[in-house]
Amino acid sequence: MGRISVVIADRHPVVLLGLSGLLEADRDFKIVASCSDGAGFIEALRNLEPDIAIVDVALPGLSGLELLSIVNSEELQTRLVFFMTAEQGRELVASTAINGHSIFLKDVAPEVLLQALRQIAEGRDLSPLPRPAPRDQGSEDALMTLTDRERQIIRLVSEGLSNKAIGRRLNISDGTIKVHLHHVFQKLQVSNRTVLAALALARVGSASEVAPKKGRPRIRRS
């Protein structure tokens, strides 16, 4: 197999620069176009027919679902790899699963992304975001074991916040966040924050379902 041709598209120049540097440093990949809007991206797909396209889920001019619709209706053979934060495009998760494309969160480790792109180019149906699964008693029991603080942290992870940002929001240290996440990973049997965020979107259903429940206000007696 020759070098994997790739189109990259993102509304943020710094993301394009980062993706360019990552892919150009690996001899398996060849960037054939770099785009910052939906119209330019679709034109590149039509004219260049790349093996893979890494695309921002919120390109100016076209939404992720609109891009999917065009690619599917025109039967373009490029495999789309949507790049998104955890809070973006819940409806896109099901659509990509149905149509054989993939979604990766923007905090994915570079080496994980590169390996996944090689496998996608070989025709594998691959994405770190789990498909929605039927709820069973085991998953419900695991969710019930979460503390209110752990539920808060899951909700903030699903919003794309870093440990430092979560610590500032909750007024606790980074080290405490890491301890809580370690406990959450064990309880929910997940391996990293990317899968945890995907769980909040796809398996649990929505971040609000892991938000802490408010109890009745206490009445202070005089």
Side-chain angles (χ1 to χ4, degrees):
M1 182 178 179
R3 298 178 73 188
I4 300 166
S5 58
V6 184
V7 166
I8 58 176
D10 199 284
R11 67 193 188 279
H12 297 122
V14 69
V15 176
L16 286 177
L17 184 63
L19 285 173
S20 296
L22 179 66
L23 295 173
E24 287 172 352
D26 193 302
R27 65 180 64 187
D28 288 342
F29 301 96
K30 178 182 179 182
I31 298 175
V32 295
S34 178
C35 315
S36 58
D37 60 72
F41 175 68
I42 290 297
E43 183 179 357
L45 293 191
R46 290 168 175 160
N47 295 335
L48 300 173
E49 300 180 351
D51 299 313
I52 293 174
I54 306 175
V55 55
D56 184 356
V57 74
L59 275 181
L62 283 176
S63 70
L65 289 175
E66 288 171 331
L67 290 174
L68 266 179
S69 177
I70 293 171
V71 168
N72 293 330
S73 64
E74 297 185 14
E75 298 183 347
L76 302 178
Q77 298 304 303
T78 300
R79 297 285 296 275
L80 299 183
V81 176
F82 285 98
F83 223 31
M84 59 183 282
T85 57
E87 71 272 16
Q88 291 176 313
R90 292 178 184 174
E91 55 281 315
L92 196 60
V93 173
S95 296
T96 52
I98 292 170
N99 292 288
H101 301 291
S102 302
I103 293 177
F104 283 83
L105 300 180
K106 288 188 174 182
D107 65 355
V108 63
E111 62 274 13
V112 172
L113 178 62
L114 290 174
Q115 183 59 28
L117 293 177
R118 294 186 187 96
Q119 294 173 333
I120 290 170
E122 293 171 356
R124 292 185 57 181
D125 182 8
L126 185 69
S127 175
L129 295 187
R131 288 174 173 75
R135 297 188 182 194
D136 55 32
Q137 190 59 46
S139 62
E140 293 293 336
D141 289 346
L143 291 172
M144 290 296 292
T145 67
L146 297 174
T147 66
D148 284 351
R149 179 65 85 190
E150 288 166 350
R151 291 171 184 270
Q152 285 181 312
I153 291 172
I154 292 175
R155 176 173 55 80
L156 295 172
V157 167
S158 74
E159 293 176 5
L161 273 65
S162 66
N163 285 358
K164 185 174 292 185
I166 293 173
R168 287 197 297 266
R169 184 78 63 89
L170 301 179
N171 197 29
I172 54 180
S173 69
D174 292 2
T176 301
I177 296 294
K178 291 178 181 178
V179 171
H180 282 304
L181 284 174
H182 176 70
H183 292 158
V184 168
F185 294 157
Q186 289 185 322
K187 290 178 180 180
L188 300 184
Q189 297 183 1
V190 298
S191 58
N192 57 62
R193 65 190 299 116
T194 299
V195 177
L196 180 63
L199 178 67
L201 295 176
R203 183 177 173 187
V204 178
S206 70
S208 62
E209 293 188 37
V210 294
K213 294 181 174 60
K214 294 182 178 179
R216 295 181 179 181
R218 295 181 179 178
I219 300 175
R220 188 173 295 177
R221 300 180 183 275
S222 57

